[in-house]
Amino acid sequence: MSSISVCKDCPDRQIGCHATCQKYIEQSEQNRKEKLRIWEARKIDEAQRDRAIEGHVRMQKRRKH
C-alpha cells in the first residue's frame, strides 16, 4: 500500500491545497482503490478460512460421537 507522496517538497503546498491539487486528488484516488482491493482480498481470505474452520469443527463433533 502506498502513501500520498506528491506533497513532499511541493513548492505549491499551502493550507487547503489538497482540495484543488490534481496530483494529490489522483494519487489519493489510486490509494483508495488499492486499499479497497486489499480489503476485498482479505474479505475473501477470511471467508475461506471461516469455511475451513467450520468444516473442521463439524468433523471434530462427528468424531466425538
Side-chain angles (χ1 to χ4, degrees), residues 8-49:
K8 184 175 178 354
D9 301 325
C10 178
D12 299 326
R13 190 168 183 186
Q14 58 188 339
I15 294 175
C17 64
H18 289 164
T20 59
C21 177
Q22 194 59 37
K23 290 179 187 177
Y24 176 84
I25 293 169
E26 289 171 3
Q27 196 170 45
S28 179
E29 181 62 20
Q30 288 174 346
N31 197 28
R32 187 192 66 76
K33 287 178 182 178
E34 179 66 13
K35 285 181 181 182
L36 183 61
R37 185 193 64 74
I38 291 169
W39 182 80
E40 288 290 335
R42 285 182 182 164
K43 192 167 86 171
I44 290 169
D45 288 345
E46 287 173 3
Q48 290 172 342
R49 186 192 67 227

Side-chain angles (χ1 to χ4, degrees), residues 46-60:
E46 287 173 3
Q48 290 172 342
R49 186 192 67 227
D50 290 346
R51 274 192 295 268
I53 290 171
E54 288 170 5
H56 182 73
V57 168
R58 271 187 260 129
M59 195 168 47
Q60 291 298 325

